[in-house]
Amino acid sequence: MFAAFALTFALVSLLAVALLWPRESPASNESRLIDRINDLLPQTQCRRCTFEGCKPYATAIARGEAGINQCPPGGERTMIELAELLKREAIAVDPKFGVMPAQPAVAWIDEAVCIGCTKCIQACPVDAIIGGSKFMHTVITDDCTGCELCIPPCPVDCIEMRPKAAMTGAVT
Amino acid sequence: MIRAMTGGGLRLETNKERSTAAPLRAASVPAEVILPLDQHAGTAARPLVKVGDAVLLGQPIAEPTSDISAWVHSPVSGSVIAVEPRPVAYHAASSPCIVIRNDFADRRDNANTAVDYASMSPAQLSDHIARGGIVGLGGATFPTASKLSQAVAQPDLHLLLNGAECEPWISCDDMLMRERAADIVFGAHVLMHALGTVSCTIAVEDDVPQAIASLRAAAAQVQPHIRIATLPDVYPAGGERQLILAVTDREVPAGRLPSDIGILCQNVGTAAAVARWIRDGEPLITRIVTITGSGVREPANLETRLGTPIASLIADCGGYTTDDRRLIMGGSMMGLAFSDDRLPIVKGSNCVIVPSPSDLHPRSAEMPCIRCGNCSEVCPAWLLPQQLHWQAQAHDVAALESFGLMDCIECGCCDYVCPSQIPLTQRFREAKVPVQAELLARSEAHLSRQRYEARGERLVRIENEQRARLEQKRREITGRKSPP
Amino acid sequence: MTAAPHTVAPANTVGRVMRQVLYALLPAICLHIIFFGPGLVIQILLGVTAAVAAESLALRLRGQPVQKFLMDGSAAITAVLIALCLPPLAPWWLIVSGTAFAILVAKHLYGGLGSNPFNPAMVGYAVLLVSFPAQLTRWLPPDISGLQTVAFSLPETLHTIFTGSLPTSLQWDAVTSPTPLNALRTGVAMGQTLQEATAQPIFGMLGGRGWDWINVALLAGGVWLLSQRLIRWHTPVAMLAGLTIPAAIMSAVDPGSYPGPMFHLTAGASMLGAFFIATDPVTSATSDRGKLIYGAGIGVITYVIRSWGGYPDGIAFAVLLMNLSAPLIDRFTVPRIYGHSR
Ligand code: SF4
Ligand code: SF4
């Protein structure tokens, strides 16, 4: 009887250990954690979260200085993934950080109006605008993340957001 | 339900003998041909003719628009009567088409001539093959020259010609191999020259003895040597990745191309088309189409001008036996169902099945999955369809991806053996859409991050340089000011 | 007819799979009736009726199409498996409540066909075993060469099953006899050697008489299922190996107390478990490798319970324990995908 008990106990504990064994050891240091958080962020680099980009936001989350609900482009999906990774409570994305358009959008420059001031080029966090000083500028639609950071600096208001599908000819 | 391939696959009733009894013959030429501009993989071709233009047999009527695109030639002589969207059999939407009225004179375009391929460089030859409008005739219609150009840089390339026509009902490659083995062998030599290789295998299923015999005979007469490999007749032995594993015992790594492991696959029909273009100066304007099923009186293989309406082929085969208009383009496992027989034959049309109810076993009522494992037993991609099915129902994109949904080749084997009658393949087709979107978003995110980081580094570098320059200036100025 | 494939394997439905399993059980059922009397027929009828009633009730409560699911035959299999585990003279409410519990709780509370984590038949049987241990030991000796002192006629059998008491003038102690597994464990517990314990007339060449033939018939049915490709070999072979190998080792170490592999293979529900219970696709591991682990686990746990546990046979508990581990096994045995390194 005792042998049976011992054996079953051993078996069950073996199973339990196998089941509960962590598949990956928790991030051993801060920079690995930052990388893993950054991996979950959409890399829009839009600063809606109030940080200078996705990585700075990831750093702030890792240090406990920012909530996980500050990324509108990532939306609920990213927030849930962050909650799972960090074992934090899920919490709705706060609309005060901005609301995304229903359709993914990209910037479009009205080339007839553009004066070639290069302000938008300097503002673009992902180098998606090309053009030289005094020459008109163009957005590389495929590279644009829709962060909208180029819109405020434009002195002649010639940049607007347009649905990405329409800009790429809807060919996927 | 027999697992017969190295992990996966099915032995199916092939039903091929129905259409191989009669010899290969030419289909009647229609009064009007419809030529879709997007009948190949990649971007649609751009028309070179407009309504009212007279065209010659074999004249190019549309040109490629990108690296992955193809020429389209007129299969008849006559005049262009329309350039407009028309319905096609290979997708639900309409496609831009050129419609030509046949004058039945078959006046040829004399610009098309035979060439001496041996004197051409591989790059020239590949360009010339592109001008013949040649695309993969196994069904994928990938432009042949584009495929060649993906592989040319590779040393030790092996050319694998796919004659394993594994899908039930289809027999056009079987007939081609039986009757035109010499074309295939000639085309193989051209392709080998274009690739700069001397090694070539033609893979055939072992249930087509006549085809094997003619290929052997044709290959024996010429150098360099071409190996004929026979495979068990298992579905889907002719799937590109499955074929490569069976013939070379190597797997194509996920997300890579066969050329990455030094193999280039072409269909035997494609090789024959290459031969006719190089040797006879005839671009891709015909193809062999299997017309079969109990719904048609005399099943046969017909050499058909592209753009011929399907109804004309059915008339050539003695007409329908029933009033039921259910048609399948392709085989019974992967083909597309449609009902309009006015649609045209295109480069990728290998077979039209006119099934009667007794030809197919329809699905009965769907039950929940009982996890019997039949599906994972037959899956040639070695997936667990039962798990994918759960995950698809739960819309679990991450799990779908990690369980290999994108590796599913949509062969239908899992469906076929499922006792619960679950339309697994269709579910997987639908589930791939969000997974694909997710993968795309992830790769885009990866790229924006790289650009963001590169920009950060650049800004730091520029700032450092500026500071260094300033420093330099300051030093110069203070240097000048200080007394000597 | 819209999406490919346009054709599926002919006559391949859940209902057919379940029917084939029932056919494979027939030889064993016949032998059982020959050895132990007509009780099993009545038990099966009671069980199937209860199963169908419970199934339709559950389907109706869950708002599912009753007709479609009732015809799949899975409930009937559950009932027949439980009936095969119970003594043929067991009172009617035993099989009825066991089957009803299996269908209502073990199957439908977890989501019905395909979603139940535990084998319903084994849940039903285990509940009975734990709740009514006395009734479950009332086996008659097999009707072979005078082992049976009283032969029960059909009316007597009916009377016993439906009233729960024996025909007048008979005593339970006088008519019943321990099953071979039970006899062995009591014998060894009383300090007999294996040889002394198995000297009783209920033991034959291989193991318990009658039981050996029933197990052979179940083996035959199982082999037929294999040949029909309705089950895969991995689970049964691994389970029988998991049972045989420890048996061989222990009987080699201490032949006085531990019976050999032959006895274990032909005793109790070994073959029933290997070919008909452990192979239940819904509750077992998915991949081939997983099935090997799963089956081996059942075999070993069965051996442990039989040899040192509190119950004479351990298949039911072994199966339930491994059901519990199946998702875990699945997690660690995902097969390699074509073109992926791992
Ligand atoms: S074949 Fe069908 S019932 Fe069987 S495991 Fe696969 S999906 Fe489930
Ligand atoms: S359709 Fe996909 S999942 Fe199903 S057998 Fe084919 S490759 Fe496997």
Side-chain angles (χ1 to χ4, degrees):
Chain A
M1 194 61 203
F2 174 73
F5 176 75
L7 249 157
T8 322
F9 183 77
L11 229 120
V12 169
S13 11
L14 212 81
L15 287 178
V17 169
L19 186 65
L20 300 175
W21 196 265
R23 292 167 88 183
E24 291 159 61
S25 54
S28 48
N29 56 48
E30 194 184 48
S31 85
R32 266 194 61 198
L33 181 61
I34 293 173
D35 281 345
R36 288 178 61 191
I37 297 173
N38 198 18
D39 282 342
L40 297 180
L41 298 175
Q43 306 301 324
T44 314
Q45 315 296 357
C46 63
R47 306 189 195 168
R48 287 183 177 90
C49 54
T50 70
F51 295 91
E52 287 295 291
C54 299
K55 182 123 185 218
Y57 177 40
T59 312
I61 297 180
R63 301 204 172 125
E65 292 159 4
I68 56 172
N69 62 339
Q70 300 181 205
C71 177
E76 188 177 326
R77 246 312 272 289
T78 299
M79 181 276 299
I80 289 173
E81 286 171 353
L82 288 171
E84 273 168 13
L85 173 70
L86 300 162
K87 311 266 177 301
R88 289 199 202 166
E89 190 109 12
I91 161 170
V93 178
D94 192 333
K96 89 165 187 246
F97 293 102
V99 180
M100 297 306 291
Q103 295 290 319
V106 290
W108 175 80
I109 298 177
D110 187 343
E111 289 165 6
V113 182
C114 170
I115 54 169
C117 70
T118 75
K119 289 219 163 71
C120 58
I121 299 187
Q122 290 161 33
C124 178
V126 293
D127 288 344
I129 306 179
I130 47 174
S133 170
K134 304 272 163 51
F135 290 98
M136 104 205 151
H137 304 340
T138 296
V139 177
I140 308 168
T141 303
D142 280 348
D143 289 355
C144 173
T145 63
C147 72
E148 302 183 8
L149 291 179
C150 52
I151 293 180
C154 178
V156 291
D157 278 343
C158 72
I159 309 180
E160 64 184 43
M161 301 306 288
R162 295 193 162 185
K164 184 165 186 174
M167 299 300 293
T168 53
V171 186
T172 40
Chain B
M1 258 175 278
I2 298 179
R3 182 198 188 108
M5 209 181 331
T6 341
L10 283 170
R11 273 186 199 276
L12 298 172
E13 226 183 286
T14 61
N15 292 315
K16 291 181 194 280
E17 60 300 331
R18 306 219 202 174
S19 50
T20 53
L24 180 61
R25 62 175 207 266
S28 42
V29 184
E32 217 176 276
V33 288
I34 305 162
L35 302 154
L37 296 171
D38 63 354
Q39 55 181 302
H40 46 261
T43 57
R46 182 185 305 121
L48 297 170
V49 291
K50 52 189 190 309
V51 175
D53 284 2
V55 292
L56 300 169
L57 175 76
Q59 176 184 332
I61 52 171
E63 63 179 1
T65 48
S66 71
D67 287 346
I68 303 177
S69 187
W71 290 86
V72 179
H73 301 79
S74 174
V76 294
S77 63
S79 54
V80 177
I81 55 170
V83 179
E84 64 187 21
R86 291 278 181 108
V88 290
Y90 49 89
H91 56 215
S94 301
S95 289
C97 292
I98 296 178
V99 186
I100 298 172
R101 173 160 312 127
N102 189 358
D103 62 10
F104 292 98
D106 276 358
R107 282 176 290 114
R108 288 183 180 270
D109 182 352
N110 292 325
N112 294 331
T113 53
V115 295
D116 172 22
Y117 74 88
S119 65
M120 298 168 96
S121 75
Q124 283 172 331
L125 182 52
S126 177
D127 280 351
H128 189 69
I129 289 173
R131 296 200 73 92
I134 314 241
V135 303
L137 295 185
T141 63
F142 195 84
T144 302
S146 313
K147 207 166 179 180
L148 293 176
S149 66
Q150 285 168 357
V152 274
Q154 295 270 342
D156 294 331
L157 208 64
H158 185 77
L159 176 65
L160 181 56
L161 288 192
N162 189 349
E165 197 172 32
C166 57
E167 260 214 84
W169 300 96
I170 311 177
S171 64
C172 57
D173 287 348
D174 180 11
M175 285 315 255
L176 177 81
M177 293 186 289
R178 286 187 202 189
E179 304 205 2
R180 304 219 177 125
D183 284 10
I184 297 172
V185 168
F186 186 93
H189 282 130
V190 176
L191 290 169
M192 283 155 84
H193 185 75
L195 290 166
T197 178
V198 288
S199 79
C200 172
T201 304
I202 304 181
V204 194
E205 285 188 334
D206 58 11
D207 62 342
V208 288
Q210 285 165 280
I212 296 172
S214 356
L215 281 175
R216 289 232 159 93
Q221 292 171 5
V222 282
Q223 283 297 329
H225 178 68
I226 292 174
R227 187 168 81 100
I228 315 290
T230 59
L231 312 167
D233 63 321
V234 172
Y235 176 80
E240 192 169 72
R241 281 158 200 256
Q242 283 61 41
L243 185 77
I244 289 173
L245 179 64
V247 175
T248 67
D249 208 22
R250 293 168 67 194
E251 289 170 35
V252 182
R256 309 280 294 281
L257 295 170
S259 58
D260 293 332
I261 58 166
I263 294 170
L264 192 99
C265 263
Q266 287 291 349
N267 174 266
V268 286
T270 314
V274 167
R276 292 178 74 154
W277 171 231
I278 301 293
R279 189 191 57 199
D280 311 334
E282 182 191 299
L284 182 56
I285 49 171
T286 67
R287 70 154 298 144
I288 301 174
V289 184
T290 306
I291 306 290
T292 185
S294 306
V296 62
R297 227 168 281 278
E298 297 151 15
N301 276 284
L302 301 176
E303 175 151 45
T304 310
R305 307 265 180 124
L306 297 179
T308 305
I310 287 156
S312 156
L313 298 181
I314 296 202
D316 281 346
C317 291
Y320 293 105
T321 57
T322 62
D323 292 334
D324 211 9
R325 283 299 166 281
R326 302 190 309 158
L327 304 170
I328 296 170
M329 179 66 85
S332 54
M333 295 298 285
M334 294 182 79
L336 291 167
F338 66 106
S339 55
D340 184 352
D341 63 7
R342 291 163 303 178
L343 305 184
I345 291 294
V346 294
K347 293 176 180 177
S349 317
N350 46 9
C351 176
V352 177
I353 309 178
V354 190
S356 77
S358 62
D359 288 342
L360 305 175
H361 303 285
R363 219 183 287 280
S364 41
E366 179 179 340
M367 301 280 288
C369 167
I370 55 167
R371 297 181 20 106
C372 66
N374 284 356
C375 50
S376 49
E377 195 182 338
V378 298
C379 175
W382 313 339
L383 305 175
L384 296 171
Q386 69 272 57
Q387 305 287 71
L388 292 172
H389 175 236
W390 276 107
Q391 293 152 355
Q393 277 180 326
H395 302 288
D396 187 343
V397 172
L400 282 169
E401 198 217 323
S402 73
F403 276 77
L405 179 68
M406 298 317 281
D407 294 287
C408 165
I409 60 169
E410 300 177 18
C411 64
C413 287
C414 50
D415 251 54
Y416 187 85
V417 298
C418 175
S420 290
Q421 312 279 320
I422 305 173
L424 294 162
T425 317
Q426 181 57 21
R427 299 268 157 83
F428 297 161
R429 262 182 227 118
E430 286 161 9
K432 277 183 180 180
V433 177
V435 176
Q436 183 71 56
E438 164 74 19
L439 290 177
L440 189 72
R442 215 182 293 161
S443 84
E444 279 181 352
H446 181 69
L447 291 176
S448 354
R449 171 162 151 188
Q450 280 181 339
R451 286 198 309 276
Y452 171 73
E453 283 166 2
R455 176 174 182 271
E457 282 164 22
R458 192 185 67 224
L459 292 182
V460 170
R461 201 183 57 233
I462 291 174
E463 204 183 306
N464 286 345
E465 281 170 10
Q466 253 164 13
R467 198 174 302 135
R469 230 176 302 140
L470 232 71
E471 192 69 16
Q472 174 96 24
K473 265 250 168 75
R474 192 170 300 142
R475 235 180 287 125
E476 275 171 23
I477 293 168
T478 44
R480 223 178 293 148
K481 271 187 188 162
S482 65
Chain C
M1 188 174 97
T2 46
H6 305 285
T7 184
V8 296
N12 172 35
T13 58
V14 177
R16 172 176 156 273
V17 173
M18 299 294 173
R19 271 196 304 280
Q20 307 269 72
V21 173
L22 285 179
Y23 298 153
L25 282 169
L26 273 181
I29 292 177
C30 293
L31 282 184
H32 196 287
I33 294 167
I34 293 174
F35 294 144
F36 296 104
L40 180 64
V41 181
I42 297 156
Q43 300 287 353
I44 290 181
L45 289 178
L46 281 170
V48 171
T49 316
V52 169
E55 180 97 352
S56 22
L57 176 71
L59 288 170
R60 201 152 293 152
L61 288 178
R62 293 177 54 220
Q64 301 265 334
V66 176
Q67 176 75 23
K68 173 175 157 191
F69 281 99
L70 210 49
M71 296 316 294
D72 70 23
S74 59
I77 295 214
T78 303
V80 173
L81 289 178
I82 298 181
L84 272 168
C85 296
L86 296 185
L89 290 180
W92 63 272
W93 48 265
L94 216 51
I95 177 95
V96 168
S97 58
T99 315
F101 190 87
I103 301 286
L104 291 176
V105 177
K107 186 172 175 185
H108 283 285
L109 270 193
Y110 286 96
L113 179 69
S115 303
N116 46 305
F118 296 104
N119 184 318
M122 289 303 99
V123 173
Y125 176 70
V127 165
L128 296 180
L129 191 59
V130 173
S131 321
F132 311 102
Q135 276 84 351
L136 289 204
T137 54
R138 285 177 184 162
W139 282 87
L140 297 184
D143 183 15
I144 308 171
S145 48
L147 280 180
Q148 218 171 47
T149 42
V150 220
F152 277 67
S153 66
L154 185 59
E156 285 169 332
T157 309
L158 283 170
H159 175 269
T160 313
I161 292 178
F162 283 100
T163 63
S165 53
L166 290 171
T168 38
S169 84
L170 287 178
Q171 291 292 308
W172 278 117
D173 286 352
V175 294
T176 59
S177 131
T179 62
L181 278 170
N182 234 336
L184 196 77
R185 88 180 290 103
T186 344
V188 171
M190 292 191 319
Q192 291 176 326
T193 65
L194 187 68
Q195 285 67 30
E196 288 161 355
T198 54
Q200 304 173 39
I202 55 163
F203 290 95
M205 256 179 6
L206 298 175
R209 293 172 71 178
W211 290 102
D212 44 9
W213 287 111
I214 291 180
N215 270 295
V216 169
L218 287 165
L219 172 65
V223 170
W224 181 73
L225 284 182
L226 277 175
S227 75
Q228 294 294 302
R229 310 190 66 87
L230 286 168
I231 57 174
R232 315 258 292 142
W233 60 267
H234 306 73
T235 310
V237 167
M239 155 158 178
L240 295 177
L243 187 59
T244 330
I245 294 169
I249 296 172
M250 289 311 288
S251 75
V253 171
D254 183 0
S257 334
Y258 295 99
M262 239 352 171
F263 175 83
H264 276 287
L265 287 181
T266 57
S270 299
M271 293 297 170
L272 188 69
F275 290 97
F276 295 88
I277 296 172
T279 50
D280 169 31
V282 176
T283 54
S284 64
T286 304
S287 66
D288 291 349
R289 235 163 11 113
K291 286 192 166 84
L292 286 175
I293 301 172
Y294 173 83
I298 295 180
V300 171
I301 299 177
T302 302
Y303 183 81
V304 168
I305 298 180
R306 276 184 184 176
S307 304
W308 305 293
Y311 290 90
D313 203 349
I315 303 256
F317 296 111
V319 167
L320 293 178
L321 268 175
M322 290 314 286
N323 285 168
L324 200 65
S325 347
L328 175 71
I329 297 174
D330 279 349
R331 208 171 100 185
F332 288 105
T333 53
V334 176
R336 188 175 72 83
I337 299 169
Y338 178 107
H340 289 253
S341 45
R342 180 62 274 181

